[in-house]
């Protein structure tokens, strides 16, 4: 019953050695987790401490990423922001994964009315430009971090529903599912022991690609003033605050948080591509 | 005749999403915590105004009845009045929509013009430098936050090099906007024969359009490459080759037309992302479209305007999807028929 | 006289993850003008690789490691491009996928004609229609505008033939052209191909796994095994006096209308299991199963625009039959005849529309299929599926699969008992114990079939339904599995319903046979009678379509 552990591990090693970029992705992810956990402890300055005399200093040894318009250390703020950005993305994706895969599995396995209702639901969400829907949800539900998480979860939901539904529906009448019925397994047991484990790998790919997108969305929302409020350190807000200084040449305010954001998304996409190769080497793109 | 009925079928299929979109936009405002009338009235309103607005909005009725009122208002083109300007939301949106559309379409066309040939080349020459370039662009492209790329394009091309005009709006204040025909400044200027304004409007548009297209490039190129690879290894392509059909015909007529189907489907998704990205790009470039209007409304807690904006974007997207569906139906004989 | 095609010492290597693998070793054969040469072998024999190399469509991972191919006396490798379609063309298996799905068949034909300058813009259409007429497609003017998805598999294969013959090439390569088609369609397609190629004096290379078909349509046969040619001889000589042991094994393993089960492995029966299960005393009525008036309808997805729902499709149309205890019954028919639906209803994987299935005195249709897993009869009716790979969860080991019914139906929990019983079942089906910890992708086709059989007999069923259990297997593996199934039935006292499209195979295993067509039973009788003296016209057609290789009927070439 236990899945083979050895085979995927050798394949993981193969994929990593054949594709160093994936290894870079996993390395960056590890760094991000580290910063999220210990960021506040290793940041050289208090990310919220303002010092007007020190404002708008270009990068130096004391302030490797420079200081912002209130004299705060950009380096410390970028590091500390990791926890908030990663936290929003992870909780939103976890939420949509749990709900979406459950709904998708039910729709794919039972078909009929369940399928039609769940399908309509995800179609309706997909009928919106997703970022715009997220804007609407946060705007009406209230401008808080929790609502940014919910909004991001809602707009990611259809992707999980679709992947889970399609993967389950393909396998619903597979020989081994029929064989499990013959062996006395009930529908729910088949769903849990035969279908879900086989659906999980493609879902993992989806999760990884989605994390990048979720971070982008959350940062985009705070860039236009939704969700996270100043003076909290968050990459999107920091870019927004730096935006007005770009035209006067103070590039470091926006560059460093923007690069951090980009690297985070890049890392999730690299991991996603690597996982995709791992799960299905034939669909390599 | 048969094609017409299939296209009609696609149009009928677009009705449920439209209904769903309207229902959700309705529920969004009714789900506001507390009293919607307070929100619609704004922060400064007194008790009387709130009561008046409550009656105006029909909030004293049950939810389904309220929805019917909402539908009736929509049919009359009534999206309510904007709190900050006092003008009807519909008028405001309509006056700003062309600016957004012009930018979004320019971004989409630009990215298609680069991404599709790139994807095809990469698929026909696997392992070549084009293929590697395509892979790098695809992975890097999806990681770029639009607002961030936009800012740095401004920094490089406006602040450092001075090649681009100041990133403020659709037209430098030296010029007058062309007489309105389509609302697209570049097209209107060309129609009026005013080439100076035409070039000026293009110059304003180039950086934001590049920002958008950088963002849309990756998914289109990725899908084109994958779909072309799948089509080229397809059995029908093998048959065509076995019967002596040559390179260009096999690539463009046999492989590309089949690959175009998933690419078109992806374009729908890309357009959805573009409409979202557009909001951010409009803010960065102070572009006077409906995105920056919505941001302004958000800051001012102008809910009727936000609701109108969400509805307008969603309907626009439904129309685009419908258009793509119709094109797909015309290309693929299998759609809309049961075998 | 120089042969039209000459393959000399051809070696092909493929790049894989584990380095280069040689797929062909020193392969040589010739095809004379007007000759039909069959290339025969089991999966992995390399029979297709030589053909793809010849026409220049070898996969990019493959490369010619040695040897040469000449066409009409001139070297061919690397020069195929201008010759494709014009001199050499090819038809493939799975014709529907091999045609461009979004182009009408007429456009595809015109394309080929125009490419080779055999038609201009004006006459391309009439020439294409003419070609469609030549491959005996009815209403060619109308079919010119048809898309592949609107045509049946047999029709698509005719379009493929028309495409391949459009420019009157001198050599046609046919790669398993009728695999996946029904026997009667297979016969008409092959007869048509023979007629057209003979009339044009073309040479044909027919690649097939089916010895019967090779015998019927080829002049000379090349037998391949593991990338090597083991024997090459005129057809009569090959079947009457095969020299190579592999050829002998292959010929013996292909069931003919008169072969016996033990002949398939030339008398070498697999060693019987060391554990002989105690023959069980199973009291009960002599009549084990009674199917009465069974109907299964599927709703048709229709254009129901104005509320007019199309009449449902009747897959099974009121069939009735009986099965005695210990009997083995064959259920024969072509695809879509309702045989698989019937069997999956009896196995309680699907619900019927009406009728009853009385098993051991109880109507088991009373319990919906969704809940049948918990019924006491679940362990007594078991089934083995056609695709032995698809029937195994890729994440479960062989032991897990076999233990599943023991846990769920027999309620066994003790790990020691489970592994003892699993090992015993593996022994019974001849699966080496050390393979039990393996996963499906680490097992061969025959081994996977054995795992599935072990899973099905784990609960000691009274009735075992076998849905084409050997049709995806190579003939030599099929022979062994058939013998295994026969032995198990005798040892365990089971009844069989054996579903198959192949009357020769059914006859080997079954006492009685039912022939189905379009959801109805058209003939019922002893297996011998149905095969040798069919009464119903449909059965006659079916029997006549089976390709045979009875030496006395072979043409002298």
């Amino acid at each position: 019953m236990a899945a083979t552990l050895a085979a995927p591990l050798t394949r993981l090693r193969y994929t990593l050695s054949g594709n160093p970029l994936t290894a870079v992705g996993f390395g960056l992810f590890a760094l991000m987790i580290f910063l999220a956990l210990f960021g506040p402890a290793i940041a050289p300055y208090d990310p919220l401490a303002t010092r007007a005399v020190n404002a708008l200093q270009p990068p130096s040894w004391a302030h490797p990423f420079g200081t912002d318009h209130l004299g705060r250390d950009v380096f410390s703020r970028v590091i500390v922001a990791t926890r908030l950005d990663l936290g929003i993305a992870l909780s939103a994706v976890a939420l949509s994964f749990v709900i979406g895969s459950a709904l998708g599995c039910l729709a794919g396995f039972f078909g009929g009315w369940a399928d039609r209702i769940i399908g309509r639901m995800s179609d309706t969400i997909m009928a919106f430009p997703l970022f715009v829907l997220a804007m609407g949800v946060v705007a009406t539900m209230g401008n808080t971090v929790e609502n940014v998480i919910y909004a991001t979860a809602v707009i990611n939901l259809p992707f999980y529903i679709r992947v889970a539904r399609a993967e389950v529906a393909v396998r619903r009448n597979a020989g081994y599912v029929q064989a499990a019925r013959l062996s006395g397994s009930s529908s729910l047991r088949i769903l849990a022991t035969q279908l879900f484990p086989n659906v999980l790998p493609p879902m993992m790919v989806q999760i990884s690609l989605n994390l990048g997108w979720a971070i982008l969305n959350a940062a985009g929302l705070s860039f236009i003033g939704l969700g996270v409020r100043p003076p909290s350190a968050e990459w999107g807000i920091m870019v927004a605050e730096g935006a007005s200084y770009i035209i006067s040449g103070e590039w470091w305010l926006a560059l460093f948080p923007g690069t951090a954001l980009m690297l985070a998304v890049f890392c999730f996409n690299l991991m996603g591509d690597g996982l995709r190769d791992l799960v299905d080497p034939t669909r390599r793109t | 005749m048969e094609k017409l009925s299939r296209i009609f079928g696609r149009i009928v299929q677009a009705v449920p999403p439209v209904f769903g979109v309207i229902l959700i936009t309705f529920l969004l405002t009714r789900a506001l915590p507390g009293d919607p009338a307070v929100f619609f009235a704004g922060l400064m309103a007194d008790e009387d105004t709130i009561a008046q607005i409550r009656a105006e909005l029909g909030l004293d009725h049950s939810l389904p009845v309220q929805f019917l009122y909402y539908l009736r208002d929509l049919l009359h083109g009534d999206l309510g009045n904007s709190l900050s300007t006092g003008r009807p939301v519909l008028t405001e949106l309509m006056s700003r929509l062309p600016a957004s559309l012009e930018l979004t379409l320019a971004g989409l066309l630009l990215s298609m013009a680069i991404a599709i040939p790139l994807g095809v080349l990469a698929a026909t020459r696997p392992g070549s430098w084009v293929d590697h370039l395509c892979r790098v662009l695809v992975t890097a492209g999806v990681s770029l936050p639009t607002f961030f790329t936009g800012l740095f394009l401004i920094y490089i091309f406006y602040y450092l090099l001075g090649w681009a005009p100041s990133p403020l709006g659709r037209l430098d204040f030296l010029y007058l906007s062309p007489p309105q025909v389509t609302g697209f400044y570049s097209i209107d200027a060309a129609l009026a024969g005013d080439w100076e304004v035409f070039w000026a409007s293009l110059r304003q548009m180039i950086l934001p359009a590049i920002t958008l297209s950088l963002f849309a490039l990756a998914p289109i190129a990725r899908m084109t490459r994958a779909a072309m690879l799948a089509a080229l290894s397809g059995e029908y392509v093998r048959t065509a080759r076995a019967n002596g059909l040559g390179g260009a015909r096999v690539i463009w007529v046999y492989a590309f037309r089949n690959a175009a189907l998933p690419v078109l489907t992806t374009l729908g998704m890309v357009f959805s992302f573009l409409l979202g990205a557009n909001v951010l790009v409009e803010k960065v470039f102070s572009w006077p479209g409906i995105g920056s209007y919505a941001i302004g409304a958000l800051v001012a807690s102008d809910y009727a305007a936000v609701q109108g904006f969400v509805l307008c974007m969603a309907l626009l997207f439904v129309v685009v999807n419908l258009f793509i569906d119709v094109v797909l139906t015309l290309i693929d004989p299998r759609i809309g028929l049961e075998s | 006289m120089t042969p039209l095609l000459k393959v000399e010492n051809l070696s092909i290597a493929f790049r894989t993850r584990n380095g280069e693998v040689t797929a062909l070793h020193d392969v040589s054969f010739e095809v004379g003008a007007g000759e039909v040469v069959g290339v025969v072998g089991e999966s992995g024999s390399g029979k297709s690789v030589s053909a793809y190399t010849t026409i220049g469509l070898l996969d990019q991972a493959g490369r010619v490691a040695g040897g040469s191919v000449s066409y009409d006396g001139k070297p061919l490798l690397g020069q195929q491009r201008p010759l494709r379609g014009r001199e050499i063309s090819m038809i493939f298996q799975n014709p529907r996928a091999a045609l461009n799905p979004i182009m009408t068949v007429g456009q595809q034909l015109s394309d080929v004609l125009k490419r080779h300058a055999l038609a201009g813009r004006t006459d391309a259409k009439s020439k294409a229609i003419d070609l469609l007429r030549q491959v005996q497609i009815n209403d060619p003017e109308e079919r010119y505008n048809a898309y592949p998805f609107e045509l049946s598999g047999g029709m698509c294969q005719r379009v493929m033939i028309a495409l391949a013959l459009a420019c009157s090439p001198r050599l046609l390569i046919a790669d398993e052209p009728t695999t996946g088609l029904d026997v009667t369609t297979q016969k008409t397609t092959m007869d048509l191909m023979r007629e057209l190629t003979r009339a044009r004096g073309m040479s044909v290379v027919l690649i097939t796994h089916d010895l019967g078909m090779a015998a019927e349509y080829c002049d000379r046969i090349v037998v391949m095994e593991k990338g090597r040619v083991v024997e090459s001889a005129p057809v009569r000589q090959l079947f009457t006096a095969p020299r190579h042991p592999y050829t002998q094994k292959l010929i013996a393993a292909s069931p003919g209308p008169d072969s016996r089960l033990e002949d398939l492995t030339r008398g070498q029966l697999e060693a019987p299991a060391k554990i002989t299960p105690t023959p069980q005393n199973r009291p009960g009525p002599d009549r084990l199963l009674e199917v009465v008036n069974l109907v299964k309808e599927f709703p048709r997805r229709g254009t129901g625009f104005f509320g007019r729902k199309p009449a449902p499709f009747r897959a099974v149309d009121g069939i009735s039959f009986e099965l005695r205890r210990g009997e083995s019954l064959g259920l024969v028919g072509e695809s879509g005849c309702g045989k698989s639906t019937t069997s999956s209803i009896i196995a309680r994987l699907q619900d019927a529309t009406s009728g009853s299935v009385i098993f051991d005195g109880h109507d088991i249709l009373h319990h919906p299929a969704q809940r049948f897993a918990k019924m006491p009869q679940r362990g007594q009716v078991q089934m083995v599926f056609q695709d032995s790979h698809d029937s195994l969860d890729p994440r479960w080991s062989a032991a897990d699969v076999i233990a599943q019914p023991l846990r769920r139906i027999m309620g066994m929990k003790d790990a020691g008992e489970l592994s003892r019983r699993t090992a015993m079942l593996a022994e019974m089906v001849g699966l080496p114990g050390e393979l039990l910890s393996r996963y499906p992708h680490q097992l061969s086709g025959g081994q996977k079939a054995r795992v599935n059989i072990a899973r099905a007999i784990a609960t000691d069923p009274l009735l075992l339904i076998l849905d084409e259990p050997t049709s995806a297997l190579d003939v030599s593996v099929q022979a062994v599995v058939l013998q295994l199934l026969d032995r198990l039935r005798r040892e365990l006292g089971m009844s069989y319903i054996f579903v198959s499209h192949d009357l020769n195979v059914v006859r080997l295993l079954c006492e009685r046979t039912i022939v189905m067509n379009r959801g109805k039973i058209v003939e019922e009788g002893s297996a011998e009678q149905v095969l040798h003296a069919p009464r119903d016209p449909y059965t006659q057609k079916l029997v006549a379509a089976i390709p045979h290789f009875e030496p006395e009927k072979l043409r002298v070439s």
Side-chain angles (χ1 to χ4, degrees):
Chain A
M1 188 131 163
T4 20
L5 217 68
L9 272 183
T10 32
R11 259 163 71 203
L12 179 67
R13 208 171 306 133
Y14 178 87
T15 316
L16 288 185
S17 64
N19 190 351
L21 277 180
T22 309
V24 172
F26 278 98
L28 274 176
F29 184 59
L31 177 69
M32 272 169 57
I33 295 284
F34 176 79
L35 289 181
L37 291 177
F38 305 108
I42 55 172
Y45 298 91
D46 179 354
L48 300 179
T50 55
R51 270 182 69 202
V53 280
N54 225 359
L56 294 175
Q57 294 294 310
S60 62
W61 282 112
H63 299 283
F65 291 175
T67 59
D68 68 6
H69 56 293
L70 297 176
R72 295 173 296 195
D73 179 43
V74 177
F75 182 62
S76 304
R77 285 174 66 76
V78 167
I79 287 179
V80 170
T82 315
R83 183 183 285 182
L84 186 54
D85 277 280
L86 205 61
I88 292 176
L90 282 175
S91 17
V93 167
L95 212 60
S96 41
F97 166 70
V98 171
I99 300 172
S101 57
L103 288 178
C105 283
L106 290 179
F109 191 67
F110 293 105
W113 278 109
D115 189 18
R116 250 168 278 171
I117 292 172
I118 293 169
R120 273 274 173 267
M121 221 173 82
S122 79
D123 281 353
T124 308
I125 297 177
M126 292 292 279
F128 285 92
L130 295 175
F131 185 74
V132 172
L133 180 63
M135 280 171 68
V137 170
V138 180
T140 49
M141 280 173 62
N143 202 344
T144 65
V145 175
E146 291 83 61
N147 286 338
V148 167
I149 293 175
Y150 294 138
T152 313
V154 165
I155 62 174
N156 278 322
L157 207 55
F159 296 101
Y160 291 94
I161 294 181
R162 283 182 180 194
V163 172
R165 185 192 170 281
E167 300 284 343
V168 167
V170 165
R171 294 175 174 83
R172 180 174 57 186
N173 291 319
Y176 61 83
V177 171
Q178 305 273 37
R181 274 191 204 290
L182 288 170
S183 306
S185 298
S186 62
S187 295
L188 279 179
R189 177 176 291 277
I190 289 173
L191 201 53
T193 63
Q194 312 257 352
L195 290 172
F196 192 67
N198 279 299
V199 168
L200 208 52
M203 297 292 278
M204 290 305 293
V205 176
Q206 185 67 40
I207 286 181
S208 183
L209 295 176
N210 241 207
L211 271 171
W213 197 58
I215 284 202
L216 268 186
N217 253 307
L221 285 175
S222 44
F223 180 78
I224 58 172
L226 287 174
V228 187
R229 301 284 192 100
S232 302
E234 193 275 341
W235 297 330
I237 279 201
M238 292 170 70
V239 176
E241 287 171 346
S244 25
Y245 297 91
I246 278 282
I247 312 181
S248 46
E250 278 98 6
W251 49 270
W252 56 90
L253 268 68
L255 177 74
F256 293 107
T259 309
L261 178 59
M262 214 169 70
L263 279 178
V265 183
F266 192 56
C267 136
F268 287 125
N269 287 328
L270 284 181
M271 276 185 4
D273 284 349
L275 284 175
R276 194 205 306 267
D277 289 353
L278 201 66
V279 168
D280 180 5
T282 58
R283 227 170 36 191
R284 229 175 174 140
T285 54
Chain B
M1 224 13 248
E2 187 211 332
K3 268 193 176 148
L4 273 181
S5 81
R6 272 160 54 202
I7 290 171
F8 180 72
R10 302 307 287 181
I11 296 176
V12 171
Q13 277 172 29
V15 172
V18 169
F19 182 79
V21 160
I22 295 175
L23 183 64
I24 289 199
T25 17
F26 167 76
L27 287 177
L28 270 183
T29 39
R30 294 312 185 269
L32 284 173
D35 190 344
V38 179
F39 284 89
F40 276 94
L43 298 170
M44 305 296 166
D46 53 26
E47 281 299 315
D48 286 348
T49 339
I50 291 174
Q52 192 193 340
I53 284 178
R54 185 175 291 128
E56 241 175 58
L57 289 172
L59 287 175
D60 32 2
H61 299 285
S62 69
L63 214 57
V65 177
Q66 286 182 42
F67 183 58
L68 288 178
Y69 279 122
Y70 180 66
L71 278 181
R72 186 200 60 195
D73 289 348
L74 275 186
L75 282 177
H76 291 108
D78 180 6
L79 290 175
N81 286 339
S82 163
L83 181 76
S84 31
T85 60
R87 293 169 58 199
V89 170
L90 186 72
T91 328
E92 301 233 303
L93 285 176
M94 281 305 135
S95 68
R96 287 160 163 268
L97 188 62
S100 298
L101 272 183
E102 187 179 24
L103 182 58
T104 311
L105 288 177
L108 186 67
L109 291 179
L110 190 61
S111 57
M112 280 167 67
I114 299 168
I116 292 180
L118 185 69
V120 172
L121 277 177
T124 48
R125 292 173 182 70
S128 68
W129 66 268
V130 185
D131 191 18
H132 290 299
L133 176 74
C134 181
R135 278 164 187 252
V136 170
L137 269 183
V138 156
T139 320
V142 281
S143 315
L144 291 176
T146 27
F147 49 92
F148 180 59
T149 16
L151 281 177
F152 273 84
L153 287 178
I154 292 176
Y155 180 68
I156 295 169
F157 291 101
Y158 171 70
Y159 179 79
L160 289 184
L161 301 173
W163 293 354
S166 73
L168 293 166
R170 302 173 78 185
L171 212 50
D172 201 285
F173 61 88
L174 292 173
Y175 302 99
L176 288 174
S177 52
Q180 178 153 2
V181 183
T182 57
F184 290 15
Y185 278 8
S186 52
I187 295 179
D188 285 351
L191 285 177
D194 190 347
W195 298 108
E196 211 178 327
V197 172
F198 176 76
W199 288 116
S201 71
L202 277 193
R203 274 163 58 86
Q204 288 295 129
M205 202 157 61
I206 227 161
L207 280 191
I210 287 178
T211 310
L212 279 178
S213 69
L214 276 177
F215 174 73
L217 203 66
I220 302 177
R222 175 194 278 266
M223 193 32 116
T224 310
R225 181 174 172 274
M228 271 307 275
L229 279 177
L232 282 171
S233 63
E235 293 181 41
Y236 50 90
V237 165
R238 194 181 56 186
T239 307
R241 290 213 166 115
N243 288 315
L245 290 183
R249 186 138 187 99
V250 165
I251 288 174
W252 292 107
V253 178
Y254 283 73
F256 184 70
R257 271 202 213 158
N258 275 288
L261 305 173
V263 172
L264 266 172
T265 317
T266 310
L267 277 187
M269 214 49 241
V270 169
F271 197 81
S272 160
F273 291 142
L274 272 184
L275 287 177
N278 194 47
V279 177
L280 301 169
V281 171
E282 282 185 12
K283 178 173 157 78
V284 171
F285 289 90
S286 313
W287 195 263
I290 54 174
S292 45
Y293 173 69
I295 295 175
L298 279 176
V299 173
S301 297
D302 186 350
Y303 288 98
V306 173
Q307 190 186 26
F309 160 75
V310 173
L311 187 66
C312 172
M313 288 293 234
L315 290 180
L316 188 64
F317 183 47
V318 169
V319 170
V320 167
N321 270 332
L322 183 63
F323 175 74
I324 287 175
D325 273 354
V326 169
V327 174
L328 278 177
T329 314
L330 288 177
I331 299 182
D332 190 344
R334 292 164 296 185
I335 291 181
L337 291 174
E338 274 87 23
S339 49
Chain C
M1 196 181 100
T2 47
L4 186 65
L5 180 74
K6 190 168 182 183
V7 178
E8 271 182 306
N9 303 323
L10 186 66
S11 296
I12 303 286
F14 279 92
R15 285 191 307 275
T16 69
R17 283 186 173 187
N18 308 318
E20 267 204 345
V21 176
T22 311
L24 284 191
H25 303 269
D26 281 333
V27 166
S28 303
F29 64 88
E30 294 178 357
V31 182
E35 196 184 22
V36 181
V37 173
V39 180
V40 173
E42 297 185 298
S43 49
S45 64
K47 56 186 188 295
S48 298
V49 176
S50 50
Y52 282 100
T53 313
T54 301
I55 200 166
L57 292 176
L58 192 63
D59 190 87
Q60 281 188 338
R63 72 176 178 90
V64 177
S68 65
V69 180
S70 61
Y71 178 79
D72 217 5
K74 294 188 255 327
L76 181 67
L77 294 179
Q79 315 294 319
Q80 296 101 333
R81 187 89 189 270
L83 298 180
R84 285 206 289 257
R86 196 67 204 256
E87 284 288 332
I88 310 174
S89 65
M90 187 161 178
I91 59 179
F92 305 91
Q93 62 175 323
N94 196 4
R96 196 169 286 154
L99 292 172
N100 190 344
I102 60 169
M103 248 169 123
T104 66
V105 296
Q107 282 172 323
Q108 297 183 45
L109 273 168
S110 307
D111 247 15
V112 173
L113 287 170
K114 282 189 213 152
R115 159 76 189 164
H116 296 285
L118 291 178
R121 197 166 294 168
T122 45
D123 56 344
K125 183 169 180 180
S126 62
K127 286 198 171 162
I129 290 174
D130 195 48
L131 277 167
L132 289 174
R133 190 173 292 121
Q134 283 177 37
V135 293
Q136 293 168 18
I137 284 179
N138 296 330
D139 297 327
E141 285 87 0
E142 207 164 299
R143 293 283 178 259
Y144 179 91
N145 291 318
Y147 290 96
F149 76 97
E150 297 170 316
L151 302 176
S152 69
M155 289 257 259
C156 284
Q157 193 55 287
R158 286 175 194 212
V159 174
M160 282 288 292
I161 295 175
L163 274 171
L165 300 187
C167 308
S168 316
R170 284 194 288 161
L171 176 65
L172 175 70
I173 302 172
D175 183 12
E176 302 265 9
T178 57
T179 306
L181 299 180
D182 279 324
V183 263
T184 51
T185 321
Q186 170 174 317
K187 186 176 167 55
T188 46
T189 313
M190 286 306 295
D191 286 351
L192 175 75
M193 200 174 93
R194 173 160 67 190
E195 191 190 311
L196 292 172
T197 50
R198 237 187 231 166
R200 289 165 168 75
M202 289 168 62
S203 307
V204 177
V205 176
L206 175 65
I207 300 163
T208 180
H209 67 280
D210 187 341
L211 274 179
M213 195 151 90
E216 203 156 323
Y217 294 98
C218 300
D219 304 318
R220 216 151 47 76
I221 291 179
V222 176
V223 181
M224 291 189 67
E225 186 199 13
K226 293 178 187 153
R228 292 173 208 277
V229 171
V230 297
E231 187 164 357
S232 171
V235 65
R236 190 184 169 85
Q237 187 190 326
L238 189 94
F239 283 105
T240 47
R243 286 193 310 271
H244 194 275
Y246 179 73
T247 317
Q248 292 162 3
K249 183 179 150 198
L250 212 56
I251 291 175
S254 305
D258 296 307
S259 44
R260 288 169 305 156
L261 203 49
E262 55 269 31
D263 295 340
L264 296 183
T265 50
R266 289 177 293 158
Q268 298 167 353
L269 281 176
E270 200 183 346
K274 283 172 221 110
I275 310 159
T276 315
T278 40
Q280 280 153 37
N281 188 20
R282 293 166 154 184
D286 182 49
R287 185 196 288 157
L288 179 70
L289 179 80
E290 194 182 356
V291 174
V292 188
N293 226 345
L294 191 67
V295 173
K296 176 69 183 177
E297 290 180 341
F298 291 103
R300 249 189 259 254
R301 277 209 288 162
T303 45
F305 241 113
F306 302 102
R308 253 184 305 154
K309 278 251 167 172
F313 168 68
R314 280 207 162 190
V316 178
D317 195 358
I319 64 167
S320 307
F321 62 88
E322 289 179 18
L323 181 70
R324 280 179 290 107
R325 204 168 282 265
E327 191 188 21
S328 171
L329 174 74
L331 201 56
V332 180
E334 296 185 294
S335 58
C337 74
K339 58 184 195 299
S340 291
T341 311
T342 307
S343 60
S344 91
I345 291 173
I346 298 173
R348 298 307 298 117
L349 292 171
Q350 243 182 63
D351 286 315
T353 307
S354 67
S356 45
V357 173
I358 295 153
F359 176 79
D360 211 12
H362 303 277
D363 188 349
I364 52 173
L365 288 193
H366 280 324
H367 316 292
Q370 282 285 348
R371 259 175 287 149
F372 198 73
K374 294 282 162 271
M375 302 308 298
Q377 285 97 341
R378 178 68 287 167
Q380 297 179 353
V381 184
Q382 283 293 318
M383 185 161 175
V384 176
F385 300 100
Q386 173 172 7
D387 187 339
S388 55
H389 180 74
D390 177 60
S391 307
L392 297 175
D393 188 325
R395 295 174 180 273
W396 288 37
S397 71
D400 294 329
V401 171
I402 301 174
Q404 197 190 9
L406 298 175
R407 288 176 207 268
R408 301 262 78 80
I409 298 176
M410 316 276 273
M412 261 185 221
K413 294 217 168 54
D414 179 55
E417 200 189 342
L418 271 171
S419 73
R420 250 196 318 283
R421 178 84 185 138
T422 307
M424 200 180 101
L425 285 162
E427 170 89 45
M428 278 166 68
V429 297
L431 184 75
E434 65 269 22
L435 299 186
L436 276 173
S437 57
R438 293 212 185 163
Y439 290 85
H441 66 273
Q442 302 165 312
L443 296 170
S444 73
Q447 289 161 348
K448 280 183 273 198
R450 286 174 204 263
V451 174
N452 279 306
I453 294 170
R455 195 258 312 139
I457 63 169
T459 55
D460 252 323
L462 285 170
L463 171 61
L464 188 58
I465 299 165
L466 303 152
D467 186 2
E468 307 247 19
T470 61
S471 66
L473 301 174
D474 280 326
V475 272
S476 55
V477 183
Q478 163 174 288
V480 184
V481 171
L482 287 176
Q483 288 175 352
L484 167 71
L485 287 170
D486 190 59
R487 196 192 80 215
L488 287 173
R489 180 167 72 98
R490 281 182 279 109
E491 285 175 0
L492 300 174
M494 294 182 285
S495 302
Y496 279 178
I497 293 180
F498 188 91
V499 180
S500 177
H501 67 282
D502 189 337
L503 273 166
N504 281 332
V505 172
V506 167
R507 194 192 55 92
L508 289 172
L509 216 62
C510 304
E511 292 130 20
R512 208 150 53 83
T513 303
I514 286 176
V515 181
M516 285 183 74
N517 184 28
R518 297 181 182 189
K520 286 194 157 71
I521 294 179
V522 294
E523 182 154 357
E524 187 172 353
S526 81
E528 289 292 331
Q529 176 257 310
V530 169
L531 186 61
H532 291 289
R535 284 187 298 263
D536 180 81
Y538 173 75
T539 319
Q540 288 163 0
K541 201 172 110 194
L542 200 64
V543 171
I546 305 173
H548 292 315
F549 52 92
E550 293 142 282
E552 63 274 13
K553 287 187 192 165
L554 288 174
R555 288 172 289 124
V556 185
S557 46

